Amino acid sequence: MKFNSLTPEAIEVLSAIVGTAHAILPAATDAMARYTHDETEDLRYEPELVLKPENATEISRIVKFCHENYIPVTPRGAGTGLSGGALPVHKGVVISTERLNKIIQIDERNLQATVEPGVITQVFQEAVIAKGLFYPPDPSSRGSCFLGGNLSESSGGPRAVKYGVTKDYVLNMEVVLPTGEITWTGANVLKNATGYNLTQLMIGSEGTLGIITKIVFKLIPYPTQNLVMLAPFRDQEEACAAVSRIFMAGIVPSALEFMERDAIVWTDQFLNLNLSLPEDIKAHLLIELDGNEMDLLFKDAERVYEVLEGFNVGEILVADTDKQKADLWHLRRNVAHAVKGNSVYKEEDTVVPRAELPKLLHGVKAIGAKYNFKSVCYGHAGDGNLHVNIIKGDMSDNDWNNKLPEGIKEIFELCVSLGGTISGEHGIGLVQRPYISIALNEVQLRLMRGIKTLFDPHGILNPGKIF
Amino acid sequence: MKFNSLTPEAIEVLSAIVGTAHAILPAATDAMARYTHDETEDLRYEPELVLKPENATEISRIVKFCHENYIPVTPRGAGTGLSGGALPVHKGVVISTERLNKIIQIDERNLQATVEPGVITQVFQEAVIAKGLFYPPDPSSRGSCFLGGNLSESSGGPRAVKYGVTKDYVLNMEVVLPTGEITWTGANVLKNATGYNLTQLMIGSEGTLGIITKIVFKLIPYPTQNLVMLAPFRDQEEACAAVSRIFMAGIVPSALEFMERDAIVWTDQFLNLNLSLPEDIKAHLLIELDGNEMDLLFKDAERVYEVLEGFNVGEILVADTDKQKADLWHLRRNVAHAVKGNSVYKEEDTVVPRAELPKLLHGVKAIGAKYNFKSVCYGHAGDGNLHVNIIKGDMSDNDWNNKLPEGIKEIFELCVSLGGTISGEHGIGLVQRPYISIALNEVQLRLMRGIKTLFDPHGILNPGKIF
């Protein structure tokens, strides 16, 4: 694709759409800085213009102009993405959805909510909890990420294992297409057999097929009770093996998280917790059970206990006070920050059928030994979704840039050979793009590229992502 | 689209692919008969050739030949569809998947199963129950319908209200594209953020984008306990209003079915049950609760009871023996047969947000009064999915064929105005196609037609359906 740079006239026209107070030019270095990166490694790309529209109509006018003038448009939520999806790699315009931040309606009669894409996930969760309702998807960044970004990257989080991922809660969306038209994708219903599923086609398309301007979510009743267990294992592959055994015993936990030793040790240091983890503990499983009856949860916890005792486990902690539970989740939710604070790293969002986790973990460590890199692994084990954090440590820049990609390729090939794929919840974006053909064959890529061209004939929307 | 008829040479080539024992020509009137119709009204369309391939490779060869020669191909499951999706309206070849009927694997370690599309839904359900696992989707026709057809029409059934519809259990599919390539659509994982969601694009596409040849399902642990309640109402709109109140009380039933008086009376006659329904009862709700602890279910049943007592209800029956429960489900599952046996009818698969059900039912009856038709309504009220059966009775053929479509149009316009759409689980197929522009706007239709052309440049696969 050949794109045009922004002329002074184009900047004027585009800024006028949102009002100059809501446009940022590169000259405004400080204001611009936060729009040049997301949470992906240390990548930086500067756009030619940042626009903060207020509604779908303004977005439509911006996109239409950019479509006609072959100007790249990169939609941006809160910039918490981990695959570089919001980076304006071809320059052009960044459209930030931060001013589309209204919860339009929480419909208690229908257990539905209509929101704008710039609402922070946790803000929305708390608003519906206040009405006794539950919006389960909870990515680690829920305190800052936007719902629109969650949809674009098909986000998950710990509770996906019982409740499903973001896509499972979206009934309908209003979107601005790359050609400027505004349309809804479906209807506000729980079942829909009316034409092709444009809603699910748009979700996870990483801002390449349209810009989401409204979302209709389904909600469920809020489960009032939960308890959390922390199980230490003396062998990390055994911890992985225990995961599928818990499901085979008929239990569906509301979270089932894996953390290998270093993930906990580094987080311990990061948070100054002084946990003094015994030397022989190599990994932990964090298991949450939820429902409305504590008796039943304790009964389920006993069954989990029985399963775990079949493995080489240390003392299992059962947390049933709010303080204990909050402490354990605080630990888990800070693993990513702790890893990030420790070293330059790359995070791979591997996913396999859950019983294949031991093979995946074993393979990751073997590949690390071969290519001489250290990894810290943790993640949503109940979903078979393991975040592999590759640590730069004292690896040379040359090895990091030129040798490591071969190792990553081997990790992804292993995922696919185990029935899995190369991203579970972070998306392909910019950084996994070189590996896409490991996961997708030529037929699939041809169809996806064809869909992209159909929606976006000038290729202006979030160019340089996915494929 | 201009299609070609089958020449004798083409018939020979195509028959040779499957073996002549597995090909049916129109001359074989008896063998051909069942392939000329599905369960949609009394429609009949005769194909030029029926082929019963054994595997994806044979299907690929058939489709490739038909693609190159512009010959229509209509994929067919068990022929239980209610929107005419399997009818060969442009003649050509019918591909029956009846010989692709193997359960390839039930993977207890990963709670997954791999099956061929010609497996009967109930056969699959029972095979997984034998291993303590649960495949919840259960369309009324589960005793005869095929899983491949369930995917194609995005089928639901009573348990969708708690467990979701067919699409929510599909992880991955092998499909033959209309150009003959064989590909998988995704990966065997619970979370997937790797490229566009081809799996969900294919599901519900009614056999217009590809022919499904393998399906990977996710399974869940089987809930061991359940109980069923039957609540009689003296006002049918009150029964509808009670539906959303049950959810607002924090209960998610595993089924929540509505049947208006005539649905029960006709089924009573059809099954010779002698129920002697009191005169003042105008509708029933059938409510199932499931889980693993009877105590908890009785507790939930009490809360349902409290909700129902806020309405004008008759005596509520609680069924907790297998015999009682089976009798109630037998009644519910035979409503469609009873209606069908009573008169020529058309079934509309309306769906709205669940709290709008009273308005929908009221509107349907008002439209019926205006256009002088009687309707019998029942369905999956928990999902807002109401099957409106319009009875021909003594309506003239002229009114039935020329005046009624206006009434149906008004019903669908009402659905859309309430936030709903024109099919919840039966698909658009042939019979709802004239109404598609009520539900989908020009932008949506342009995108869908574009996707169709991308997948099927010669338009050979299931032509004449959806749009």
Side-chain angles (χ1 to χ4, degrees):
Chain A
M1 284 289 170
K2 183 83 182 74
F3 297 119
N4 290 321
S5 295
L6 283 177
T7 60
E9 294 73 29
I11 289 176
E12 199 169 321
V13 169
L14 290 168
S15 300
I17 293 171
V18 297
T20 48
H22 303 297
I24 305 172
L25 274 81
T29 319
D30 288 354
M32 177 63 88
R34 60 181 290 217
Y35 300 96
T36 64
H37 65 93
D38 60 8
E39 295 288 318
T40 312
E41 302 170 22
D42 49 357
L43 301 173
R44 290 280 181 289
Y45 290 87
E46 192 165 282
E48 294 163 86
L49 180 66
V50 174
L51 298 174
K52 305 179 193 174
E54 195 182 11
N55 53 47
T57 309
E58 288 183 4
I59 294 176
S60 165
R61 289 173 62 200
I62 296 165
V63 170
K64 203 157 188 297
F65 181 88
C66 292
H67 166 72
E68 285 163 3
N69 293 283
Y70 293 82
I71 296 165
V73 173
T74 304
R76 180 185 175 92
T80 58
L82 295 167
S83 57
L87 300 175
V89 293
H90 286 276
K91 297 194 159 283
V93 177
V94 161
I95 294 183
S96 168
T97 59
E98 65 198 77
R99 290 175 67 219
L100 286 91
N101 60 356
K102 285 185 286 299
I103 296 176
I104 297 169
Q105 189 197 19
I106 298 174
D107 176 355
E108 294 173 79
R109 292 165 63 243
N110 284 303
L111 274 59
Q112 295 184 3
T114 306
V115 305
E116 291 187 320
V119 174
I120 291 172
T121 308
Q122 190 170 351
V123 168
F124 178 57
Q125 285 183 318
E126 289 171 2
V128 306
I129 287 173
K131 295 178 184 293
L133 298 175
F134 192 28
Y135 172 72
D138 60 342
S140 288
S141 56
R142 65 177 179 161
S144 54
C145 62
F146 288 174
L147 289 163
N150 295 172
L151 266 69
S152 296
E153 301 300 322
S154 201
S155 297
R159 299 214 165 77
V161 65
K162 177 169 178 178
Y163 292 104
V165 295
T166 303
K167 77 174 172 60
D168 300 312
Y169 290 84
V170 180
L171 299 179
N172 200 1
M173 287 186 288
E174 182 193 74
V175 295
V176 177
L177 296 175
T179 38
E181 296 99 327
I182 304 172
T183 184
W184 287 88
T185 57
N188 300 354
V189 288
L190 294 164
K191 303 159 90 171
N192 192 338
T194 309
Y196 302 155
N197 197 334
L198 297 181
T199 306
Q200 294 298 331
L201 181 60
M202 193 68 69
I203 295 174
S205 68
E206 309 198 41
T208 65
L209 297 181
I211 301 178
I212 300 163
T213 49
K214 285 197 190 80
I215 311 161
V216 180
F217 285 113
K218 89 169 177 184
L219 304 170
I220 57 176
Y222 189 72
T224 52
Q225 309 290 337
N226 64 69
L227 60 79
V228 180
M229 305 170 76
L230 186 70
F233 285 75
R234 298 196 178 84
D235 180 288
Q236 58 197 14
E237 286 174 43
E238 280 216 354
C240 288
V243 170
S244 82
R245 288 281 156 190
I246 291 169
F247 290 88
M248 288 168 75
I251 306 286
V252 180
S254 51
L256 181 33
E257 300 283 306
F258 169 85
M259 293 171 280
E260 72 165 302
R261 180 181 177 89
D262 281 349
I264 301 234
V265 170
W266 291 12
T267 311
D268 182 13
Q269 288 162 4
F270 181 73
L271 296 174
N272 285 315
L273 299 175
N274 296 312
L275 292 176
S276 60
L277 196 63
E279 276 306 315
D280 63 337
I281 297 306
K282 302 302 183 204
H284 282 83
L285 290 182
L286 180 74
I287 304 156
E288 185 191 80
L289 304 168
D290 77 355
N292 289 308
E293 298 287 331
M294 265 332 269
D295 289 355
L296 191 60
L297 297 187
F298 281 118
K299 210 179 246 183
D300 281 353
E302 269 171 42
R303 292 168 69 194
V304 171
Y305 216 93
E306 282 166 27
V307 171
L308 297 177
E309 285 192 319
F311 296 88
N312 188 1
V313 287
E315 195 183 341
I316 298 166
L317 175 72
V318 179
D320 57 355
T321 71
D322 287 346
K323 167 85 172 69
Q324 287 172 319
K325 289 187 281 190
D327 285 350
L328 289 178
W329 276 116
H330 184 59
L331 178 74
R332 168 62 188 89
R333 287 192 186 279
N334 275 284
V335 171
H337 299 299
V339 170
K340 190 160 191 162
N342 188 291
S343 166
V344 172
Y345 77 111
K346 281 182 196 288
E347 180 163 357
E348 310 308 334
D349 178 35
T350 63
V351 61
V352 294
R354 72 167 78 91
E356 313 307 336
L357 270 181
K359 279 186 200 159
L360 175 61
L361 186 66
H362 182 86
V364 165
K365 298 299 177 184
I367 294 164
K370 177 174 164 191
Y371 287 92
N372 200 27
F373 65 76
K374 177 179 166 64
S375 64
V376 179
C377 298
Y378 63 92
H380 315 303
D383 287 320
N385 185 199
L386 191 72
H387 298 320
V388 178
N389 288 269
I390 299 172
I391 307 301
K392 184 159 186 288
D394 49 11
M395 191 188 287
S396 73
D397 286 352
N398 184 45
D399 283 0
W400 183 252
N401 294 321
N402 301 317
K403 225 173 113 186
L404 179 61
E406 282 304 306
I408 294 173
K409 189 162 165 278
E410 281 196 33
I411 291 174
F412 286 156
E413 284 167 350
L414 174 63
C415 290
V416 172
S417 76
L418 293 171
T421 190
I422 70 174
S423 178
E425 57 176 20
H426 294 170
I428 300 304
L430 176 67
V431 296
Q432 310 305 1
R433 188 185 170 203
Y435 307 101
I436 193 72
S437 63
I438 297 171
L440 303 178
N441 63 36
E442 266 314 307
V443 175
Q444 293 166 321
L445 285 169
R446 175 173 61 78
L447 293 176
M448 290 185 194
R449 288 195 184 105
I451 291 168
K452 169 66 179 173
T453 304
L454 170 69
F455 278 68
D456 186 7
H458 295 178
I460 59 155
L461 202 61
N462 211 3
K465 308 299 163 61
I466 308 182
F467 37 64
Chain B
M1 284 288 172
K2 183 83 181 76
F3 297 117
N4 289 322
S5 294
L6 284 176
T7 60
E9 295 72 29
I11 289 175
E12 198 168 321
V13 170
L14 289 167
S15 300
I17 293 172
V18 297
T20 48
H22 303 298
I24 305 172
L25 275 78
T29 318
D30 288 354
M32 177 62 89
R34 59 181 289 218
Y35 299 96
T36 64
H37 65 91
D38 60 8
E39 295 288 319
T40 311
E41 302 169 22
D42 50 355
L43 301 172
R44 290 280 182 289
Y45 291 88
E46 191 165 282
E48 294 164 86
L49 181 66
V50 174
L51 298 174
K52 304 179 194 176
E54 196 183 12
N55 53 47
T57 310
E58 288 182 4
I59 293 176
S60 165
R61 290 173 62 198
I62 296 165
V63 170
K64 204 158 186 301
F65 182 90
C66 291
H67 167 72
E68 285 162 3
N69 293 283
Y70 293 80
I71 295 164
V73 173
T74 303
R76 181 186 175 91
T80 58
L82 294 167
S83 56
L87 299 175
V89 292
H90 287 275
K91 298 194 161 281
V93 178
V94 161
I95 294 184
S96 168
T97 59
E98 66 199 78
R99 291 175 67 220
L100 286 90
N101 61 357
K102 284 185 287 297
I103 297 175
I104 297 169
Q105 189 197 18
I106 298 174
D107 176 355
E108 293 173 79
R109 291 166 64 244
N110 284 305
L111 274 58
Q112 294 184 3
T114 306
V115 306
E116 292 187 322
V119 174
I120 290 172
T121 307
Q122 191 170 352
V123 169
F124 178 57
Q125 285 182 318
E126 289 170 2
V128 305
I129 286 173
K131 296 180 184 292
L133 297 175
F134 191 28
Y135 171 72
D138 60 341
S140 288
S141 55
R142 65 178 181 163
S144 53
C145 62
F146 288 173
L147 289 164
N150 294 172
L151 267 69
S152 296
E153 300 300 323
S154 201
S155 297
R159 298 212 165 79
V161 65
K162 176 170 179 177
Y163 292 104
V165 295
T166 302
K167 77 175 171 62
D168 300 312
Y169 290 84
V170 181
L171 300 178
N172 200 0
M173 289 186 288
E174 183 192 73
V175 295
V176 177
L177 296 175
T179 39
E181 297 100 326
I182 303 173
T183 185
W184 287 88
T185 57
N188 299 355
V189 288
L190 294 164
K191 301 158 92 170
N192 192 336
T194 309
Y196 302 156
N197 197 335
L198 297 181
T199 306
Q200 294 298 331
L201 181 61
M202 194 68 71
I203 296 173
S205 68
E206 309 197 42
T208 65
L209 297 182
I211 301 177
I212 300 163
T213 49
K214 285 195 191 80
I215 311 161
V216 180
F217 285 113
K218 87 168 179 185
L219 304 171
I220 57 177
Y222 189 73
T224 51
Q225 310 290 336
N226 64 67
L227 61 78
V228 180
M229 303 168 77
L230 186 70
F233 285 75
R234 298 195 179 88
D235 179 287
Q236 58 197 14
E237 287 174 42
E238 281 216 354
C240 289
V243 170
S244 82
R245 288 281 155 190
I246 291 169
F247 290 88
M248 289 170 74
I251 307 286
V252 180
S254 52
L256 180 33
E257 300 283 306
F258 169 86
M259 293 171 281
E260 73 165 300
R261 180 182 177 90
D262 280 350
I264 301 232
V265 170
W266 292 11
T267 312
D268 182 15
Q269 287 163 5
F270 181 73
L271 297 174
N272 285 315
L273 299 175
N274 296 312
L275 292 176
S276 61
L277 196 63
E279 276 305 316
D280 63 338
I281 298 304
K282 302 303 181 204
H284 282 82
L285 290 183
L286 181 73
I287 305 157
E288 184 191 80
L289 303 168
D290 77 356
N292 289 307
E293 297 287 333
M294 267 330 270
D295 289 354
L296 191 60
L297 297 187
F298 281 119
K299 208 178 248 185
D300 282 352
E302 270 171 43
R303 291 168 68 194
V304 172
Y305 216 93
E306 282 166 26
V307 171
L308 297 178
E309 286 192 319
F311 296 88
N312 189 1
V313 288
E315 196 183 342
I316 298 166
L317 176 70
V318 179
D320 57 357
T321 70
D322 286 346
K323 167 85 172 69
Q324 286 173 319
K325 290 186 281 190
D327 284 351
L328 288 178
W329 276 115
H330 184 60
L331 177 73
R332 169 62 187 90
R333 289 192 185 281
N334 275 283
V335 172
H337 300 299
V339 170
K340 191 162 191 160
N342 188 291
S343 165
V344 172
Y345 78 112
K346 282 183 195 285
E347 180 164 358
E348 311 307 333
D349 178 34
T350 64
V351 61
V352 293
R354 74 168 77 90
E356 313 307 335
L357 270 180
K359 280 185 198 159
L360 175 61
L361 186 67
H362 182 86
V364 165
K365 297 300 177 185
I367 294 164
K370 177 175 165 190
Y371 287 92
N372 202 25
F373 64 78
K374 178 180 166 65
S375 63
V376 180
C377 299
Y378 63 92
H380 316 303
D383 287 319
N385 185 198
L386 191 72
H387 298 319
V388 177
N389 288 270
I390 299 171
I391 307 301
K392 183 158 187 287
D394 48 12
M395 192 187 287
S396 73
D397 286 352
N398 184 45
D399 284 358
W400 183 252
N401 293 321
N402 302 317
K403 224 173 113 186
L404 179 60
E406 282 304 304
I408 294 173
K409 188 162 164 278
E410 281 195 33
I411 291 173
F412 286 155
E413 285 168 347
L414 175 63
C415 291
V416 171
S417 76
L418 294 170
T421 189
I422 70 174
S423 177
E425 57 176 20
H426 294 171
I428 300 304
L430 176 68
V431 295
Q432 311 305 2
R433 186 185 172 203
Y435 307 101
I436 192 72
S437 64
I438 297 171
L440 303 178
N441 63 37
E442 266 313 308
V443 175
Q444 292 166 322
L445 285 169
R446 175 173 61 78
L447 293 175
M448 291 184 193
R449 288 195 183 104
I451 291 167
K452 170 66 178 173
T453 303
L454 171 69
F455 278 68
D456 186 7
H458 295 178
I460 60 156
L461 202 61
N462 211 2
K465 308 297 164 61
I466 308 182
F467 36 66

